[in-house]
C-alpha cells in the first residue's frame, strides 16, 4: 500500500528522541509507549529503517512486560512495513499477520481494515496476487462497513494496482476511477497523489502516455507538500521516461536532475540507484558516453550502499526473531519446570501452602506481595544514590464497598484499582500490596516536585470513572501519602513507611481523595 503522508511523523521524531533521552525514567507506561510509537513511525517515515526496527522492538518489550496487548498493534505494523522495505518479506508477513490477529482478538476492526491492505501489499511484492487481492477486498468491505473513506480509497487503489499487474486493465481503470471520484471531501484529499500515480501507471500500460503524464505532473506538488520523498522519486522517474518517449529529452534531464538531488539521503540509496540508472540511459541516448559511465559508477555505488542497509536490516531482523524465539523457548521451559514442580509439591497440602507463600505476586491483584516488594526495595537501595519517593495508598471507605456490594465486588475493585495505578506509573516503579486495601509504590529517581505530579496523576486516573462490577457502577477514590527521601533511607524502610502512613492519615483527615507529600531526612 502506498504510504500515507508522513510529514507529521518526521517532524515529531526529533522531539520524541529528545524526550526519551531526557525523561524516559519519568514516563508512565502509557506515556513511554506513546513516545516510542512516535519515534518508530518517525524513523519509518524518514527511511531510518534500522532505528525504526529497534524502536519497534523496544515498544513490543514494554507491551509484553506490562500486559499491553492492544498497544502491540502499531509496533507490529511498523515492524512489518520496515521489514517489507528491507525486502525481508517473510518477517513482514509474520509481523503484520500477528498485528491482525491481535486486532481481531481485541475487536479493533478499524485496525484490521488498514492492516489487511498493508499485508496485501507484501503478498503482492511476493507475486501472490490472489492472496493480495483477497486481503485488499477484505479491507474495502470493512472500510465500507466502518465508513472509513480514506481506507476505502487506499483499498481500491491497491485493488486497481493488482488488476494492472495481472493485465486486467479495464477492471483496474474502473476501480481507480471509483477511488478518485470518492474523494469529494477536502479532508480526504491526501490520498489523491497516490491514486493519480496508480491511474498514470494504468494509462501507461494502456498506451495513453499523455493522460499518464498529466496525472503524474499533477501528483508532484501534492507529494512535495506531504513530504513523501520515496513516492515522489518514483513519480519523477516515470515522468522522465514519458518525456523521453515524447522526444522532450532536455526536460527529462531536468526532471532526473531534480530526482537525483532529492535521492541523496542515506535511507534512499535504493531509489538513488534507480535514478542513477535512468540518468545513465538518458546520457547514452544523447551519445554522452563519459556522462553515462559516470552515472553507471554512481549507480553501482548506490546499489552497494543499499545492499549494505538491506543486509544490516536482515541482521537486526534475525536477531529480533532469535530474541523472540529464545524468550518463547525459555518461557516454555520455565512453564514445563513449574508444571513439574507444581505436580510434585501439590501432593501435600503443606507443600502447596509453602509454594503459595514463596510466590512473589499477590494472587488477587498481581502486584508484588509484601516480601517481594521489600526485596525489590533493597535492590534499589544497593544501587547508586538517588532521590526516591515511597507512596502509601488506601481506598477511601473500602469497608462500605464490601458491605454494600459484597466481598467479591471488593476484590474486583482492588484488581481494577491496580490496573489503573499501573497506567499512571512509570515502567521502573515498584508496586506492592501492603495488606488489605493498602498498597505501596516506590518511585526511584523521584523528588518532591515529580512525586506530586505522579500522585495527582494516580488520583485522577483512579477516580476518573466508576469501576464496573457485574451490574453495579462503584465510585472509588483513594487517599495517598508520599514520603520523599534519598536511597540511603531505604534500609530503614519501616521508618519511611511510617512517615508515608502519617501523610496518608493527614490526607484522610483533610477530606480524603487527596495526596500529601512530605520530605524525610535520614
Amino acid at each position: 500500500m502506498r504510504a500515507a503522508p508522513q510529514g507529521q511523523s518526521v517532524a515529531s521524531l526529533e522531539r520524541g528522541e529528545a524526550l526519551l533521552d531526557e525523561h524516559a525514567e519519568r514516563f508512565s507506561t502509557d506515556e513511554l509507549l506513546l513516545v516510542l510509537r512516535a519515534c518508530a513511525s518517525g524513523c519509518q517515515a524518514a527511511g531510518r529503517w534500522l532505528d525504526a526496527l529497534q524502536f519497534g522492538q523496544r515498544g513490543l518489550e514494554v507491551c509484553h512486560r506490562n500486559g499491553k496487548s492492544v498497544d502491540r498493534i502499531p509496533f507490529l505494523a511498523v515492524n512489518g512495513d520496515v521489514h517489507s522495505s528491507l525486502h525481508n518479506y517473510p518477517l513482514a508477513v509474520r509481523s503484520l499477520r500477528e498485528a491482525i490477529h491481535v486486532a481481531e482478538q481485541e475487536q479493533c476492526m478499524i485496525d484490521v481494515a488498514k492492516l489487511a491492505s498493508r499485508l496485501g501489499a507484501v503478498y503482492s511484492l511476493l507475486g501472490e496476487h490472489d492472496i493480495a487481492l483477497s486481503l485488499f477486498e477484505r479491507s474495502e468491505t470493512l472500510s465500507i462497513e466502518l465508513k472509513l473513506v480514506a481506507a476505502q480509497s487506499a483499498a481500491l487503489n491497491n485493488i486497481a494496482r493488482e488488476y494492472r499487474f495481472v493485465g486486467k486493465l479495464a477492471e483496474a481503470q474502473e476501480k481507480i476511477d471509483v477511488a478518485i471520484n470518492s474523494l469529494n471531501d477536502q479532508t480526504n484529499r491526501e490520498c489523491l497523489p497516490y491514486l493519480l500515480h496508480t491511474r498514470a501507471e494504468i494509462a501507461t500500460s494502456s498506451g495513453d502516455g499523455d493522460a499518464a503524464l498529466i496525472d503524474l505532473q499533477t501528483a508532484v506538488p501534492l507529494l512535495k507538500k506531504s513530504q513523501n520523498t520515496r513516492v515522489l522519486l518514483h513519480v519523477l522517474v516515470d515522468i522522465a521516461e514519458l518525456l523521453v518517449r515524447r522526444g522532450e529529452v532536455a526536460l527529462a534531464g531536468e526532471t532526473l536532475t531534480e530526482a537525483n538531488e532529492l535521492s541523496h539521503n542515506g535511507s534512499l540509496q535504493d531509489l538513488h540507484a534507480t535514478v542513477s540508472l535512468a540518468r545513465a540511459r538518458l546520457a547514452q541516448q544523447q551519445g554522452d558516453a563519459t556522462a553515462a559511465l559516470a552515472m553507471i559508477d554512481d549507480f553501482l555505488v548506490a546499489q552497494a550502499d543499499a545492499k549494505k542497509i538491506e543486509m544490516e536490516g536482515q541482521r537486526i531482523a534475525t536477531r529480533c526473531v532469535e530474541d523472540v524465539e529464545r524468550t518463547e523457548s525459555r518461557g516454555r521451559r520455565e512453564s514445563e519446570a513449574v508444571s513439574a514442580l507444581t505436580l510434585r509439591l501439590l501432593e501435600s497440602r503443606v507443600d502447596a501452602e509453602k509454594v503459595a507463600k514463596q510466590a512473589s505476586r499477590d494472587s488477587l491483584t498481581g502486584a508484588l506481595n509484601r516480601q517481594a516488594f521489600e526485596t525489590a526495595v533493597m535492590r534499589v537501595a544497593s544501587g547508586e544514590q538517588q532521590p526516591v519517593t515511597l507512596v502509601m495508598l488506601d481506598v477511601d471507605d473500602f469497608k462500605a464497598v464490601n458491605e454494600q456490594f459484597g466481598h467479591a465486588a471488593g476484590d474486583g475493585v482492588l484488581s481494577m484499582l491496580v490496573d489503573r495505578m499501573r497506567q499512571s506509573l512509570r515502567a521502573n516503579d515498584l508496586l506492592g500490596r501492603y495488606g488489605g486495601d493498602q498498597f505501596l509504590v516506590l518511585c526511584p529517581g523521584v523528588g518532591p516536585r515529580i512525586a506530586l505530579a505522579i500522585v495527582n496523576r494516580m488520583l485522577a486516573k483512579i477516580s476518573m470513572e466508576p469501576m464496573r462490577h457485574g451490574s453495579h457502577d462503584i465510585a472509588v477514590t483513594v487517599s495517598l501519602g508520599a514520603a520523599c527521601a534519598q536511597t540511603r533511607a531505604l534500609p530503614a524502610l519501616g521508618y519511611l513507611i511510617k512517615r508515608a502512613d502519617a501523610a496518608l492519615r493527614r490526607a484522610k483527615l483533610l477530606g480524603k481523595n487527596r495526596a500529601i507529600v512530605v520530605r524525610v531526612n535520614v
Side-chain angles (χ1 to χ4, degrees):
M1 183 173 68
R2 306 299 175 96
Q6 303 279 8
Q8 186 175 358
S9 296
V10 176
S12 64
L13 174 58
E14 183 177 350
R15 179 59 178 157
E17 290 182 310
L19 285 171
L20 285 176
D21 289 340
E22 298 173 14
H23 306 294
E25 72 283 354
R26 300 179 181 178
F27 291 149
S28 69
T29 299
D30 288 341
E31 291 167 343
L32 178 59
L33 288 172
L34 182 64
V35 177
L36 287 173
R37 179 177 175 181
C39 289
S41 298
C43 287
Q44 178 193 357
R48 287 169 47 185
W49 311 128
L50 309 184
D51 290 335
L53 279 178
Q54 291 173 338
F55 278 121
Q57 190 62 24
R58 184 175 171 187
L60 288 172
E61 289 169 358
V62 173
C63 290
H64 176 72
R65 286 199 307 268
N66 294 277
K68 297 281 190 177
S69 180
V70 173
D71 293 292
R72 295 173 61 210
I73 296 172
F75 294 108
L76 288 167
V78 167
N79 282 0
D81 290 343
V82 173
H83 284 315
S84 180
S85 298
L86 292 169
H87 311 298
N88 300 327
Y89 300 126
L91 292 178
V93 169
R94 175 176 175 169
S95 291
L96 291 170
R97 287 182 67 178
E98 186 176 355
I100 290 174
H101 175 68
V102 174
E104 288 175 333
Q105 283 190 321
E106 300 292 339
Q107 290 297 302
C108 301
M109 301 314 292
I110 292 176
D111 289 317
V112 174
K114 296 176 181 179
L115 290 165
S117 269
R118 291 158 95 159
L119 180 57
V122 180
Y123 276 112
S124 179
L125 292 169
L126 288 169
E128 299 284 355
H129 297 297
D130 289 341
I131 299 175
L133 194 57
S134 66
L135 285 163
F136 294 144
E137 288 171 345
R138 185 187 184 195
S139 177
E140 181 192 12
T141 300
L142 284 172
S143 299
I144 292 171
E145 292 175 359
L146 299 168
K147 296 181 173 58
L148 305 173
V149 177
Q152 182 186 352
S153 298
L156 287 167
N157 182 41
N158 286 316
I159 292 171
R161 296 185 75 234
E162 286 308 299
Y163 280 141
R164 184 184 73 85
F165 288 146
V166 298
K168 296 182 178 181
L169 298 182
E171 292 90 337
Q173 187 67 51
E174 179 185 352
K175 289 294 183 181
I176 201 63
D177 286 344
V178 172
I180 290 177
N181 291 335
S182 70
L183 297 183
N184 55 5
D185 184 339
Q186 287 297 318
T187 60
N188 295 314
R189 301 293 283 183
E190 68 269 11
C191 301
L192 182 59
Y194 314 107
L195 303 181
L196 290 173
H197 190 194
T198 297
R199 189 166 73 176
E201 291 174 329
I202 296 168
T204 301
S205 299
S206 301
D208 191 351
D210 291 341
L213 189 58
I214 291 172
D215 278 343
L216 291 172
Q217 290 173 334
T218 304
V220 168
L222 300 174
L223 289 167
K224 288 180 178 178
K225 183 178 179 180
S226 69
Q227 301 181 35
N228 195 322
T229 306
R230 296 191 70 82
V231 178
L232 175 60
L233 287 172
H234 283 295
V235 168
L236 291 174
V237 171
D238 290 348
I239 288 174
E241 184 177 338
L242 289 171
L243 289 171
V244 169
R245 291 183 191 179
R246 291 171 52 152
E248 300 180 38
V249 177
L251 189 54
E254 293 175 8
T255 302
L256 288 177
T257 298
E258 180 184 1
N260 183 61
E261 292 172 355
L262 289 169
S263 67
H264 280 287
N265 180 302
S267 65
L268 299 172
Q269 289 303 318
D270 55 336
L271 289 173
H272 183 60
T274 300
V275 172
S276 297
L277 188 58
R279 295 179 74 202
R281 287 171 178 161
L282 183 60
Q284 185 181 28
Q285 289 178 4
Q286 293 173 312
D288 190 343
T290 302
L293 289 173
M295 298 306 166
I296 289 175
D297 182 62
D298 196 25
F299 161 74
L300 293 173
V301 171
Q303 191 178 52
D305 289 341
K307 190 63 178 177
K308 287 179 184 176
I309 293 174
E310 182 179 337
M311 294 298 292
E312 178 64 10
Q314 290 177 350
R315 184 188 68 78
I316 290 177
T318 301
R319 189 182 68 199
C320 291
V321 171
E322 289 174 349
D323 287 345
V324 170
E325 291 178 345
R326 192 159 40 244
T327 300
E328 291 176 348
S329 177
R330 183 170 63 247
R332 285 193 297 270
R333 290 197 305 271
E334 290 175 352
S335 178
E336 290 169 359
V338 169
S339 296
L341 178 63
T342 302
L343 286 173
R344 290 198 302 271
L345 292 179
L346 291 182
E347 291 176 354
S348 76
R349 187 181 183 86
V350 173
D351 286 336
E353 292 173 354
K354 197 177 296 182
V355 171
K357 290 178 181 178
Q358 291 172 351
S360 63
R361 295 280 173 182
D362 173 57
S363 59
L364 174 62
T365 64
L368 293 172
N369 63 26
R370 189 166 177 173
Q371 180 180 355
F373 181 83
E374 291 176 355
T375 300
V377 168
M378 290 307 109
R379 282 201 297 269
V380 175
S382 65
E384 61 181 17
Q385 285 296 310
Q386 59 179 322
V388 291
T389 294
L390 180 73
V391 181
M392 176 173 274
L393 176 149
D394 183 272
V395 180
D396 295 330
D397 304 313
F398 185 65
K399 183 179 179 182
V401 173
N402 283 327
E403 291 176 349
Q404 184 176 352
F405 301 104
H407 288 280
D411 289 347
V413 164
L414 293 180
S415 295
M416 288 181 275
L417 173 70
V418 167
D419 288 340
R420 294 189 185 182
M421 289 172 66
R422 285 200 175 105
Q423 293 172 31
S424 307
L425 298 174
R426 306 167 307 161
N428 61 333
D429 292 333
L430 300 175
L431 169 60
R433 187 177 182 186
Y434 189 61
D437 60 321
Q438 286 192 328
F439 294 85
L440 290 175
V441 177
L442 184 75
C443 302
V446 170
R449 183 176 60 83
I450 298 174
L452 186 60
I454 290 175
V455 294
N456 284 334
R457 187 166 64 201
M458 290 172 66
L459 283 171
K461 189 71 176 177
I462 291 166
S463 62
M464 66 178 181
E465 60 184 18
M467 296 183 182
R468 188 76 176 173
H469 181 80
S471 60
H472 300 294
D473 286 331
I474 306 173
V476 175
T477 62
V478 298
S479 298
L480 300 100
C484 303
Q486 296 290 320
T487 46
R488 60 175 176 269
L490 291 179
L493 181 61
Y495 176 69
L496 207 56
I497 290 174
K498 287 182 180 179
R499 294 299 305 273
D501 185 38
L504 169 64
R505 280 186 273 113
R506 282 179 57 198
K508 294 278 190 184
L509 290 172
L510 290 172
K512 304 177 183 178
N513 190 25
R514 67 191 65 222
I516 299 294
V517 178
V518 298
R519 293 176 183 267
V520 177
N521 296 316
V522 176

